[in-house]
Amino acid sequence: METSIPAFALAALVLIMIPGPDQALITRSTLVGGRAAGLLTMLGGATGLAVHAGAAAVGLSALLLASAKAFTALKTVGAAYLLWMAVQTLRSAARSRREPEEAPARRARQRPASALRQGFLSNALNPKVALFFVTFLPQFLSVGSTASAAHQRTLLLSAVFALLYLGWFTLYVAAVDGFGRLLRRPRVKAAIERVTGVLLIAFAVRLATAHQST
């Protein structure tokens, strides 16, 4: 059974590294509020993942995905949230573009609760995250295992996923913040925020058009 852990870790790390809403929001928070804000958004995202992992372990995610109304409601709210964040990011890009190029790169103030909430809601309101835990994790469970063993195994794999998530994005935040002086220059920051805003719109559309079977 333990031999599947390295395979799971490798597959999970690849999935974590694929650009998605988490990366877009963490990038935005790091540029706006610095390393602390980026890490808080990351922790919020990890907390959102924990909600789905716990729900999957007790069977609630399967019930959610089996209900067309619940699935549609959750993905609609999640898509609306990503669109709202996209609008905020594009407005910030417009403000950054108007700043004089010679203005010193600086961080804006961002409330810790706001940074944490952004990451949490991005994952907690995303039914595709629930789908991941319901469809991906079982591939690494032993066939014929008891309910108790499967439950424990699911929690173990979820913990491995969370550790990889935290490790990868901690490095990512450090890299973004390390280049902060360059990335926060008005013209560069505006360009990054525009790209981030467009990506968030794309992620929102993708979520809004997702089906239960995807």
Side-chain angles (χ1 to χ4, degrees):
M1 184 170 63
E2 279 72 14
T3 56
S4 66
I5 292 292
F8 170 80
L10 179 60
L13 184 59
V14 170
L15 291 174
I16 290 169
M17 293 171 65
I18 295 175
D22 285 20
Q23 182 173 319
L25 290 175
I26 289 172
T27 300
R28 178 184 185 276
S29 289
T30 305
L31 288 177
V32 171
R35 183 174 303 194
L39 291 176
L40 283 172
T41 300
M42 175 196 72
L43 288 175
T47 305
L49 290 175
V51 170
H52 286 293
V58 298
L60 293 179
S61 291
L63 293 176
L64 165 67
L65 297 174
S67 170
K69 290 184 178 180
F71 183 89
T72 300
L74 186 59
K75 76 172 186 177
T76 299
V77 175
Y81 175 72
L82 290 179
L83 282 176
W84 182 78
M85 288 303 305
V87 171
Q88 299 303 310
T89 302
L90 292 174
R91 290 177 61 186
S92 178
R95 290 193 297 269
S96 298
R97 188 66 183 82
R98 291 194 295 268
E99 293 179 6
E101 189 61 27
E102 64 275 8
R106 65 181 188 279
R107 299 171 181 169
R109 295 186 61 183
Q110 185 177 25
R111 291 182 300 174
S114 175
L116 191 68
R117 183 175 62 249
Q118 288 175 14
F120 174 75
L121 292 179
S122 174
N123 280 334
L125 298 177
N126 190 343
K128 293 181 75 68
V129 178
L131 189 63
F132 163 81
F133 283 102
V134 171
T135 60
F136 182 70
L137 291 187
Q139 299 178 44
F140 297 88
L141 300 179
S142 299
V143 177
S145 59
T146 65
S148 176
H151 175 76
Q152 294 177 8
R153 181 70 168 178
T154 299
L155 292 178
L156 173 61
L157 295 178
S158 298
V160 171
F161 187 88
L163 289 174
L164 291 171
Y165 178 96
L166 292 172
W168 167 253
F169 279 114
T170 295
L171 294 175
Y172 180 79
V173 168
V176 173
D177 189 56
F179 289 98
R181 189 173 185 84
L182 169 64
L183 299 180
R184 292 188 186 94
R185 292 175 57 185
R187 192 178 299 274
V188 177
K189 182 184 176 186
I192 294 175
E193 288 176 325
R194 282 197 299 270
V195 171
T196 300
V198 171
L199 287 175
L200 286 173
I201 292 174
F203 294 139
V205 172
R206 181 180 177 184
L207 177 57
T209 57
H211 301 288
Q212 287 171 283
S213 59
T214 58

